[in-house]
Each structure stands twice: as C-alpha cells, then as structure tokens.
Amino acid sequence: MGKLTTHVLDTAHGRPGAGIAVELFKLEGDARRSLARTVTNDDGRCDKPILEGDAMVPGEYELVFNAGDYFAAAGVSVPEPRFVDRVALRFGIADAAAHYHVPLLVSPWAYSTYRGS
C-alpha cells in the first residue's frame, strides 16, 4: 500500500524541525480540500503517514508547513512580514501504491524539497 510521509530539517540551526504544523490538501481544479493536519515530532517527522491506504489516490496535492511560526517560537529575529512563513509544496502522486516522501529543508531565508525515499 502506498503512503505519503514528510520530515522537516531546520538548516539554519542544523537540527530537526520539531513542532511544525503541517497541513495536507487535495487539489481539484481551483479548489483545495483539507485532508489532514499534524505536527512534527522531536525528530522533525510525523508520527504516522499523512496519507495511506484507500485515501492514497493519484492526483495533485499540497503540503503546507508553518515554518514562520516555528522560527518565531525558536526566538529567531526576522522582519515582518516574514520572508519564509507558510511554505506550500505542490506535488503530484501518480502511483498510489508507491511511497512518496516529501521532506522540507528550511531556514528563515530559503527552503527546498525533493522526492525522498
């Protein structure tokens, strides 16, 4: 069975991004439907897959990471509005039986992602 997982790395401090709120949306044309909400654990990962089983269907999705709140809680001084705040990653799932791992590497000034394993 396929699944969707993620983790967050705080590249500014060289540690896992713990306590970051993550939301998953299914994109259908111009509409966004909320599917799940979770928070990263001390290792910057979610305790269970964000999507799996029968809920894992091909289509377009969006993960939204509340990175700005994480950096503010960590005491990082950044100007308002924040340069990096809510990071939205849009991606496609073509094979519902596969494992899609979508990590976020983030700092107050930059972010990147890749399809992990």
Side-chain angles (χ1 to χ4, degrees):
M1 289 239 150
K3 63 183 175 181
L4 171 64
T5 59
T6 190
H7 76 273
V8 182
L9 298 173
D10 174 347
T11 58
H13 298 101
R15 63 183 179 214
I20 296 178
V22 180
E23 300 168 272
L24 175 67
F25 297 90
K26 176 83 167 74
L27 304 176
E28 297 163 340
D30 291 335
R32 290 168 77 219
R33 183 169 43 98
S34 178
L35 296 181
R37 292 184 184 164
T38 189
V39 176
T40 58
N41 61 24
D42 289 344
D43 194 34
R45 299 177 183 275
C46 300
D47 290 331
K48 63 180 186 171
I50 300 171
L51 197 61
E52 64 183 331
D54 292 339
M56 183 86 169
V57 297
E60 294 181 71
Y61 293 84
E62 181 178 66
L63 280 170
V64 178
F65 300 84
N66 290 296
D69 291 346
Y70 163 79
F71 286 114
V76 176
S77 177
V78 294
E80 288 294 334
R82 299 166 179 160
F83 184 73
V84 170
D85 192 16
R86 292 175 45 105
V87 177
L89 302 178
R90 290 189 171 195
F91 59 96
I93 292 178
D95 180 359
H99 178 189
Y100 284 76
H101 184 67
V102 183
L104 176 68
L105 288 73
V106 67
S107 81
W109 308 108
Y111 63 87
S112 65
T113 191
Y114 56 94
R115 180 169 176 196
S117 59

